[in-house]
Amino acid sequence: MGINVSRNADLAANEWLQRFVGRQHIAHDDEAFWNGLLNYNIVIPENSQDQLSLDSRLETLCQSFIGNNLKTGNFGSLITVFLEKATELLSLSDQESNMHVWQTFNALFIIRTLIKYINETGSEFQLLQHFEALPNAELVKAAEEQQQQQQHQVASIAIEATEQAPLAAVIVDGAKFETFIDALVNLIVVIPVKEFTYHLHLEAVNTLITLLAVHLFAQPTDKSIVFRTIYKCQHANVLMSALLHFVARMIEVPHTMFGSTSAGSFVLGIAESLLSIFTFRKQQDVLKTSNATGEELSQQFRTHYPLANQSLLLILILTNHCTAQDNAYRTSLFGCADSKDSPKQGSVSFQIDFSAVYETLCRIVTIDQATLLLYLLLHRNERFYRFVMQQQDLELLVIPILQTLYNAPDSNSHHIYMSLIVLLILSEDESFNKNVHTILLKNISWYTERTISEISLGGILILIVIRTIQYNMLKMRDKYLHTNCLAALANMSGHFRALHPYVAQRLVSLFETLARKHSRLDAQLKEPADSAVFVNVSTTPEDMMQDLSVLEEVLRMVLEILNSCLTNQLVYCPNLVYTLLYKRSVFEGFRSHHAFQDVIQNIDMVVGFFSSRLQRVQEQRGELGVNEVLEVISKGASQWSSDRLRKFPDLKFKYVEEDAPEEFFIPYVWTLVCKYGCVHFSSESIKSVTTDIAC
């Protein structure tokens, strides 16, 4: 290390590190040692392979640290050095602080590395022991004689040592860990993000994530001192505000870590030839969203905007844990307001530019963690929900969500589910349901089922939701996914307008496909039990009865959606009437079915009315072309009265979070941290990630 670039291969032999993890106590005010240890440059691990390589080279040093630190208290000395440097940073100018930022970052990187090692190999209790351990009196005396320094004094309580570090007592006062957390928060919220402070902010965020990752390796969080300390929440509003600002601003990672000031000068006194060690391998300046898959976009986001990525993950961790208690971070996120508004004093946790948050989410919403943040804001923050509903460019948000659903085989089931819930929440607003049919889109290249030169946003939304239902029928067979899809369509159905002919066809075809499946299943159930019709021996009649019951619920919902459109918007949907006339036979087998006959009566009445008008016109003119048929339908619609139809309640569905949502969200969030985060944990040690997404 020293002033030269550190290469991972040299770490085990580094004299400064060997002294730090050795048996000699090093006082926090031994400036010569700390300057020697902290004047290093290192390539931060960018992926799990880099992390594995670094971990393997540090293994011996970390073991020595575990064996000696409870006696030497050197970790506590390093914490003190970090705290002093972090405090000094708050009063330094840009010109004075570059070297200081560099050393503060280096101290924090060592601290985070050791926290990660203890989490993965030990327990939370051991982690706190190492934080608070004070040096053995004899070691202090030896260091005092050697360095001619005063003995470090603290008031403390004794905590018994573990078997891994056989001591009579390890002295702890509990304050240093809390002070350390406060310092991390101060770094994040007080120091402005500039080119030479970017990585210090990133390291502070990563350290908080690493501390909270005790959840992955140890006891439940309700017994965790780490969680209890972080959730004391004195700084919840300012921390949540800073993290959300980091996400919204999406500042690209600098090409050098600490290489230049705002004036462009290089102040570390390191040769120009070493600059290459700080240069990130990929230097794309723009997040390419047009043709990127969610996986590719996640990689780009993590590589080029790591502070935004990690801040987003930390927001999700803080807001999804401890939901049964008073979680101030959660309250803060849900209580924030637009900085352009002037809300009443005391009713707002913090203010932020909602436009910046909205624009950033539009850019990255195909990423799992961005969809999850959007869900939290829409579902829980009424101000943000109202803001989104007022946007004139809703297609920028909705289309990427539809692309996620369209590419369902490339996404995990949780992401598909959350994307659908977001659409359901959006569809709860009547203005949204009206506006989506006024936004026209041209030449949607990613939709390859059929070439469509022009379609409304509402039309493409209907197509994708129908496609998702059909995909779910074949692949996932998830009843709740069906329910959410149909609920979104039902909310929109009373506002369907100017439906594209293909959209009308797909709506009716959905019923036709389900109807055929219903007929097959019904026929199988009526066959004798030993009949060859039961091809799949693992499917019992009870299973088939349950499938039939679910299928009838779905068919009923589709009919109600068609009925809702005809009742409220018939005059604006001639293409749907045309398709119903053309496909009237698909309803034939359901007219006498007790579960459907009341709704089908309405559809039959509409079909009968327009069928008789067409018949009269055909008798006068002969065969009619498509345009002529549509002309007859449009004229007939102006004379049609929906009063003739049987009244049904308006279709209005509202998303309600299930009981114990943390059982879904906490494993999901930590899976995203492991999969898309910049901090890579040992997968062999992880105990708590239980979702079906591979880490």
Side-chain angles (χ1 to χ4, degrees):
M1 288 188 174
I3 204 66
N4 295 316
V5 174
S6 170
R7 303 192 182 281
N8 289 350
D10 305 328
L11 291 176
N14 182 269
E15 60 172 301
W16 301 103
L17 280 176
Q18 286 181 338
R19 282 183 61 191
F20 175 70
V21 303
R23 297 179 179 180
Q24 176 188 351
H25 167 64
I26 301 160
H28 72 87
D29 52 1
D30 185 348
E31 291 186 14
F33 174 81
W34 297 113
N35 283 334
L37 177 66
L38 299 180
N39 286 1
Y40 71 88
N41 310 311
I42 193 165
V43 179
I44 301 175
E46 288 188 22
N47 52 53
S48 55
Q49 195 57 46
D50 289 350
Q51 185 69 59
L52 189 62
S53 174
L54 180 62
D55 289 349
S56 65
R57 297 183 187 283
L58 289 172
E59 178 73 24
T60 303
L61 291 168
C62 288
Q63 288 176 354
S64 296
F65 166 82
I66 295 295
N68 295 320
N69 181 69
L70 295 181
K71 295 178 183 177
T72 66
N74 286 343
F75 190 58
S77 294
L78 175 59
I79 296 288
T80 301
V81 170
F82 165 75
L83 293 175
E84 289 173 350
K85 289 186 176 296
T87 302
E88 290 168 11
L89 266 179
L90 303 179
S91 61
L92 295 177
S93 67
D94 284 4
Q95 284 68 31
E96 295 172 314
S97 62
N98 288 63
M99 176 67 78
H100 222 76
V101 168
W102 180 44
Q103 289 190 336
T104 309
F105 167 86
N106 286 344
L108 192 52
F109 182 79
I110 295 173
I111 292 167
R112 175 168 69 89
T113 300
L114 291 172
I115 291 170
K116 176 178 172 295
Y117 182 81
I118 298 169
N119 271 351
E120 292 176 345
T121 61
S123 67
E124 182 188 67
F125 178 67
Q126 289 171 311
L127 174 64
L128 295 171
Q129 277 187 307
H130 284 287
F131 254 96
E132 306 291 349
L134 297 175
N136 179 288
E138 293 180 6
L139 294 179
V140 172
K141 186 177 179 181
E144 188 178 61
E145 292 172 355
Q146 180 182 346
Q147 302 161 6
Q148 298 181 344
Q149 297 175 342
Q150 289 186 336
Q151 183 176 351
H152 181 45
Q153 311 232 350
V154 291
S156 50
I157 316 169
I159 284 191
E160 293 183 1
T162 60
E163 294 179 3
Q164 288 84 347
L167 296 173
V170 174
I171 303 195
V172 176
D173 72 356
K176 186 165 283 185
F177 181 69
E178 291 187 22
T179 307
F180 177 70
I181 297 298
D182 287 344
L184 288 179
V185 174
N186 275 329
L187 283 181
I188 292 169
V189 305
V190 177
I191 297 175
V193 180
K194 299 186 178 181
E195 184 176 346
F196 67 96
T197 66
Y198 185 98
H199 286 87
L200 180 59
H201 284 89
L202 176 60
E203 194 58 32
V205 172
N206 283 344
T207 303
L208 281 174
I209 290 175
T210 304
L211 281 167
L212 289 162
V214 69
H215 166 78
L216 295 175
F217 306 100
Q219 59 194 342
T221 54
D222 58 347
K223 298 177 181 178
S224 166
I225 296 173
V226 169
F227 270 76
R228 199 179 309 153
T229 303
I230 293 174
Y231 278 81
K232 278 187 178 178
C233 307
Q234 300 95 327
H235 309 295
N237 284 345
V238 290
L239 179 56
M240 191 56 64
S241 172
L243 294 173
L244 193 56
H245 274 91
F246 292 165
V247 175
R249 290 172 187 160
M250 251 179 78
I251 302 171
E252 188 175 9
V253 64
H255 291 163
T256 59
M257 286 177 69
F258 310 103
S260 62
T261 66
S262 55
S265 61
F266 187 64
V267 300
L268 296 184
I270 299 175
E272 285 288 332
S273 60
L274 299 183
L275 274 173
S276 60
I277 200 71
F278 301 115
T279 304
F280 277 71
R281 289 191 276 272
K282 296 178 183 176
Q283 298 182 3
Q284 296 171 310
D285 293 329
V286 180
L287 196 65
K288 296 182 178 177
T289 59
S290 56
N291 297 313
T293 64
E295 196 75 28
E296 291 167 343
L297 198 65
S298 294
Q299 181 61 42
Q300 290 176 22
F301 188 51
R302 178 173 63 186
T303 302
H304 302 299
Y305 307 92
L307 180 58
N309 184 63
Q310 295 304 96
S311 298
L312 174 46
L313 291 171
L314 182 54
I315 288 171
L316 296 179
I317 296 168
L318 291 171
T319 52
N320 282 289
H321 275 283
C322 306
T323 55
Q325 307 149 21
D326 289 332
N327 180 334
Y329 298 104
R330 192 173 174 87
T331 303
S332 179
L333 181 67
F334 301 159
C336 70
D338 191 356
S339 55
K340 297 183 180 69
D341 292 342
S342 301
K344 295 179 181 178
Q345 193 72 22
S347 64
V348 170
S349 53
F350 64 89
Q351 288 184 287
I352 189 168
D353 184 356
F354 276 178
S355 294
V357 176
Y358 174 76
E359 288 167 12
T360 294
L361 287 174
C362 287
R363 292 181 67 189
I364 63 170
V365 73
T366 51
I367 300 172
D368 278 79
Q369 55 266 41
T371 305
L372 201 44
L373 176 61
L374 176 64
Y375 159 77
L376 288 171
L377 288 171
L378 290 175
H379 182 44
R380 297 287 190 172
N381 189 315
E382 287 186 25
R383 296 184 185 95
F384 187 77
Y385 183 79
R386 289 197 301 269
F387 173 86
V388 171
M389 291 303 106
Q390 292 166 4
Q391 300 312 297
Q392 300 302 308
D393 55 1
L394 278 170
E395 69 275 11
L396 297 181
L397 183 68
V398 174
I399 288 178
I401 297 171
L402 297 180
Q403 285 180 278
T404 296
L405 295 173
Y406 187 77
N407 297 313
D410 300 325
S411 302
N412 62 73
S413 58
H414 290 65
H415 195 193
I416 295 169
Y417 193 65
M418 294 313 302
S419 299
L420 276 170
I421 290 174
V422 167
L423 289 182
L424 174 55
I425 292 171
L426 293 174
S427 74
E428 292 170 12
D429 184 81
E430 289 196 9
S431 64
F432 172 85
N433 295 329
K434 293 174 183 175
N435 291 341
V436 291
H437 293 289
T438 65
I439 299 171
L440 293 180
L441 310 172
K442 295 181 183 294
N443 300 318
I444 303 174
S445 58
W446 52 269
Y447 186 84
T448 58
E449 311 282 300
R450 173 170 172 162
T451 302
I452 302 175
S453 58
E454 184 176 88
I455 191 171
S456 69
L457 178 61
I460 194 70
L461 199 163
I462 295 166
L463 288 178
I464 299 303
V465 173
I466 289 173
R467 187 177 185 273
T468 304
I469 293 171
Q470 292 175 325
Y471 171 77
N472 183 47
M473 286 169 56
L474 292 173
K475 301 288 183 183
M476 297 168 67
R477 300 172 64 82
D478 182 340
K479 178 183 176 180
Y480 293 104
L481 193 137
H482 272 330
T483 302
N484 284 303
C485 286
L486 292 166
L489 287 179
N491 284 342
M492 296 174 63
S493 61
H495 303 279
F496 286 170
R497 283 200 170 202
L499 294 182
H500 189 282
Y502 183 60
V503 176
Q505 290 169 28
R506 298 305 298 150
L507 268 171
V508 179
S509 292
L510 173 62
F511 180 85
E512 187 176 20
T513 302
L514 294 167
R516 283 200 297 265
K517 189 170 184 179
H518 181 276
S519 298
R520 286 197 302 271
L521 208 52
D522 195 40
Q524 286 178 324
L525 281 166
K526 289 175 180 175
E527 289 288 332
D530 58 350
S531 169
V533 172
F534 286 99
V535 178
N536 186 352
V537 294
S538 64
T539 303
T540 65
E542 290 76 18
D543 290 336
M544 295 173 70
M545 280 296 294
Q546 188 174 356
D547 285 350
L548 190 68
S549 175
V550 171
L551 198 54
E552 288 181 354
E553 287 179 28
V554 174
L555 278 164
R556 170 82 188 190
M557 277 284 285
V558 175
L559 287 171
E560 287 180 348
I561 288 165
L562 292 170
N563 177 67
S564 173
C565 178
L566 295 175
T567 302
N568 297 287
Q569 300 291 334
L570 184 144
V571 69
Y572 302 109
C573 295
N575 286 317
L576 180 59
V577 175
Y578 179 97
T579 306
L580 288 171
L581 286 166
Y582 185 71
K583 289 278 193 178
R584 71 185 81 178
S585 60
V586 304
F587 304 102
E588 195 69 45
F590 297 90
R591 288 190 172 90
S592 57
H593 196 293
H594 68 279
F596 312 116
Q597 57 188 180
D598 56 342
V599 191
I600 287 184
Q601 281 177 5
N602 276 0
I603 295 172
D604 275 347
M605 192 172 292
V606 171
V607 169
F609 173 81
F610 286 97
S611 180
S612 62
R613 289 185 70 88
L614 280 171
Q615 190 172 354
R616 287 199 300 272
V617 174
Q618 279 179 327
E619 288 172 357
Q620 296 169 3
R621 302 188 200 171
E623 285 297 317
L624 302 177
V626 174
N627 291 334
E628 292 171 307
V629 171
L630 287 170
E631 183 185 346
V632 172
I633 291 171
S634 296
K635 285 183 179 177
S638 63
Q639 300 169 15
W640 167 261
S641 173
S642 60
D643 292 340
R644 308 179 190 189
L645 300 178
R646 178 174 176 175
K647 301 300 179 189
F648 288 88
D650 288 341
L651 296 180
K652 288 185 183 293
F653 291 87
K654 188 173 180 63
Y655 170 73
V656 178
E657 209 167 64
E658 291 190 7
D659 294 336
E662 63 277 1
E663 293 178 9
F664 172 87
F665 287 108
I666 290 176
Y668 183 27
V669 167
W670 280 107
T671 299
L672 299 180
V673 173
C674 293
K675 188 173 183 181
Y676 299 124
C678 302
V679 181
H680 304 277
F681 300 104
S682 168
S683 58
E684 295 178 1
S685 306
I686 291 175
K687 299 174 183 176
S688 302
V689 173
T690 56
T691 66
D692 60 356
I693 315 165
C695 277

